[in-house]
Amino acid sequence: MNIGSTHALSGPFETEALSVVSVQFSPVSAQTTEDVETNVETICDFMNRAVGGFPGVDLIVTSEGALQGFGPDCKNVLLNYDGPEIRRLKDICKSLDVWGIFCPLFREYAGMKCANTCIMINNKGEIVHHYVKMNPWIPGETSCPGGECPTTLGPKGARIATIICADGDYPEMWRAAADGGANVIVRVSFDMSPWDKAWEITNKAMAYTTQCYVVTSNAVGLDEVYSYFGRSMILNPDGAIITEAPMGLPWMIKADLYPAIVDHTRTQYASNNFQWARRHRGASHPNLAGVGASVRAYGNESVR
Amino acid sequence: MKKYYMAAAHNVVRALDAGNIRFPIGKEELLAQVGNREVQIDFDRKISISEYCGNIKIDNFENKAQFFSALTAANTEEV
C-alpha cells in the first residue's frame, strides 16, 4: 500500500492495525442437526487455532455455508436466530475476545423466510451486524433476498460491510458497500468450479474500484454436486492480493490491515479518487470548474 | 522537441503540505494559510497560491481531488 493515486498521500494521520484471519474449510453438507453441530465444532476449532497461531487477532472470518453447507438438505437444517448454534458462536467470540463473521441460513430473519445471513459478533458476544444476501444464486438458491447493505463499526477503526458469494458478481453491491462508508468489505462465499478465475477477477477489480480492503473466505471441498475451490484472499485497496489460501485445502490466512488509510485516501487522493470523481465527472473542465457533472446528467444515475 | 515545465502540481502539493492544509477546507481558509506562498508554475514564472487560485469558481473543497480539479479548470482555456 499505496499505489492508488499519482499524488502523494500527504499529511499525518493515526491508524491502528486490524489483524484479520480468514478461515477456509470443508463443512459437512448438513442433513441433520448433528451435522450442523459438527460444523459449529469445526468453526470453534478453527477459531481456537487462529488465536493460537495469530495471537492478538481482532477479526476471524468464516465462509458462507460454514454452518450448514449448501447441499440439497440445507433447507431442512435452517437455524433459529436465538438457537444454540448461534449462542455457541457468541460465547466463543466473547471467551476469545475476538470479533467473528459467520453466515448462517436462518429459518427467519426480519420477516424473511430462509434468509442467507451474514452476521458479525463482537468480542462481547453480541450480534452487531446483519446482512441478508441480496443476490441469491438463482435458480439454484432459493433463499429470500435482503434489501440493504449496511456498514457497521468494527474493531480498530474498521467500518465493515459484508456481501455474500454471488453478490460479488454485481459491481453495484460493492459500490453500495463503499457508498455506505465501508473501508473493509468482507465477501464470504461458497463458490465453486468453474468460477475460480472469476473469483479472483471480481475480488481484485472491486477492491480496486471501491478502494477498500477486501477480506474473503471461501469454502473448500466437495458436496453432492459441486467442488468448492477455496482460494480465500485478502486484498489491498489497490487490488493487489496481500495473501491467498491455496485451492482445495483447509487453511487460514492472516493480514494486518490499516482501515484509516482508506479513510485518508477519501480526502487526500487527488487523482483516482473514484468515490468522489464518479459523482463529479469532468470537474477539471473549465466550464465545470471543480464541480463536474453528476451521474444524473448522463442519465445513468442508477449507478449511484 | 518543446520542453514543458512539469513540476507545477508537485510544487502546489509541497506548498499545501508546508501549510498543513487538510481537506475538507474552504477556499478562504486555504488561501489564508498558504495564499502568500509562491509556487513555480513554469520555467520562468512564479506566482502566489492566491494568484494561482484566483479564477477558481467554488468556495469549498471537499477533498484534494476537488481542489486540484478546480485549480486545473481555473487555469485551462476553453477550446
Side-chain angles (χ1 to χ4, degrees):
Chain A
M1 187 60 179
N2 196 326
I3 63 168
S5 178
T6 50
H7 289 229
L9 192 58
S10 303
F13 60 100
E14 288 190 1
T15 185
E16 194 171 10
L18 171 73
S19 190
V20 181
V21 168
S22 176
V23 172
Q24 66 180 36
F25 70 95
S26 179
V28 175
S29 184
Q31 299 179 334
T32 65
T33 301
E34 289 71 30
D35 290 339
V36 177
E37 287 172 4
T38 298
N39 288 332
V40 172
E41 185 70 29
T42 303
I43 291 172
C44 292
D45 285 348
F46 267 105
M47 293 181 72
N48 281 306
R49 197 176 280 125
V51 299
F54 308 106
V57 58
D58 299 302
L59 174 67
I60 299 172
V61 180
T62 59
S63 75
E64 182 190 28
L67 285 94
Q68 292 135 301
F70 235 113
D73 286 320
C74 68
K75 291 188 79 170
N76 298 327
V77 288
L78 298 176
L79 298 181
N80 293 321
Y81 186 80
D82 55 357
E85 302 85 359
I86 304 303
R87 279 203 301 276
R88 185 148 181 222
L89 297 176
K90 289 178 175 178
D91 289 344
I92 192 166
C93 284
K94 186 176 180 181
S95 67
L96 296 178
D97 190 11
V98 296
W99 294 52
I101 289 181
F102 312 97
C103 195
L105 197 57
F106 281 131
R107 188 178 317 283
E108 179 176 351
Y109 172 71
M112 291 172 272
K113 310 279 190 189
C114 188
N116 191 353
T117 309
C118 199
I119 59 172
M120 181 162 65
I121 299 174
N122 68 12
N123 59 342
K124 298 184 175 107
E126 304 158 335
I127 300 178
V128 293
H129 174 89
H130 308 83
Y131 166 73
V132 178
K133 188 176 188 179
M134 290 172 70
N135 295 276
W137 183 63
I138 53 175
E141 182 182 352
T142 58
S143 66
C144 179
E148 60 180 343
C149 181
T151 295
T152 299
L153 284 175
K156 308 290 178 70
R159 289 194 305 278
I160 296 172
T162 54
I163 63 173
I164 303 176
C165 200
D167 281 328
D169 294 328
Y170 303 89
E172 58 269 31
M173 289 305 307
W174 301 84
R175 186 62 73 190
D179 283 350
N183 48 29
V184 178
I185 301 175
V186 175
R187 182 189 190 184
V188 300
S189 290
F190 210 69
D191 208 354
M192 69 290 245
S193 174
W195 291 291
D196 50 308
K197 296 294 187 292
W199 167 254
E200 179 176 339
I201 291 167
T202 50
N203 291 336
K204 282 181 168 177
M206 300 319 295
Y208 173 70
T209 58
T210 60
Q211 298 172 319
C212 289
Y213 284 109
V214 168
V215 177
T216 71
S217 171
N218 188 39
V220 297
L222 302 169
D223 64 7
E224 292 86 343
V225 182
Y226 296 113
S227 44
Y228 303 94
F229 51 81
R231 295 190 66 200
S232 301
M233 56 181 69
I234 301 174
L235 301 98
N236 255 341
D238 55 21
I241 295 173
I242 301 170
T243 180
E244 178 182 349
M247 177 178 279
L249 294 176
W251 209 265
M252 295 185 295
I253 53 175
K254 177 261 183 184
D256 288 344
L257 312 181
Y258 301 89
I261 288 180
V262 174
D263 302 340
H264 199 56
T265 66
R266 299 291 191 237
T267 56
Q268 290 299 316
Y269 268 7
S271 75
N272 297 56
N273 189 337
F274 302 142
Q275 282 296 108
W276 183 82
R278 72 189 188 84
R279 290 192 288 266
H280 300 81
R281 293 175 177 174
S284 297
H285 187 279
N287 290 348
L288 298 174
V291 176
S294 70
V295 290
R296 189 177 300 278
Y298 290 83
N300 57 354
E301 68 271 21
S302 62
V303 302
R304 292 197 67 173
Chain B
M1 182 184 286
K2 182 179 178 183
K3 288 194 173 181
Y4 293 90
Y5 185 77
M6 299 306 299
H10 173 74
N11 296 336
V12 173
V13 169
R14 284 284 182 264
L16 297 181
D17 286 351
N20 290 320
I21 296 297
R22 299 285 176 267
F23 295 91
I25 192 169
K27 181 165 67 176
E28 191 174 320
E29 186 183 352
L30 184 145
L31 294 181
Q33 289 182 231
V34 297
N36 291 332
R37 291 181 184 271
E38 283 210 326
V39 289
Q40 187 163 353
I41 62 166
D42 208 338
F43 293 112
D44 56 355
R45 190 172 178 214
K46 286 185 179 181
I47 62 174
S48 68
I49 292 280
S50 288
E51 190 181 352
Y52 203 18
C53 294
N55 290 327
I56 286 180
K57 295 176 181 171
I58 57 177
D59 295 325
N60 292 289
F61 309 115
E62 193 177 326
N63 51 43
K64 193 184 279 184
Q66 187 162 36
F67 170 74
F68 273 97
S69 295
L71 182 65
T72 303
N75 291 285
T76 300
E77 291 182 8
E78 283 189 58
V79 176

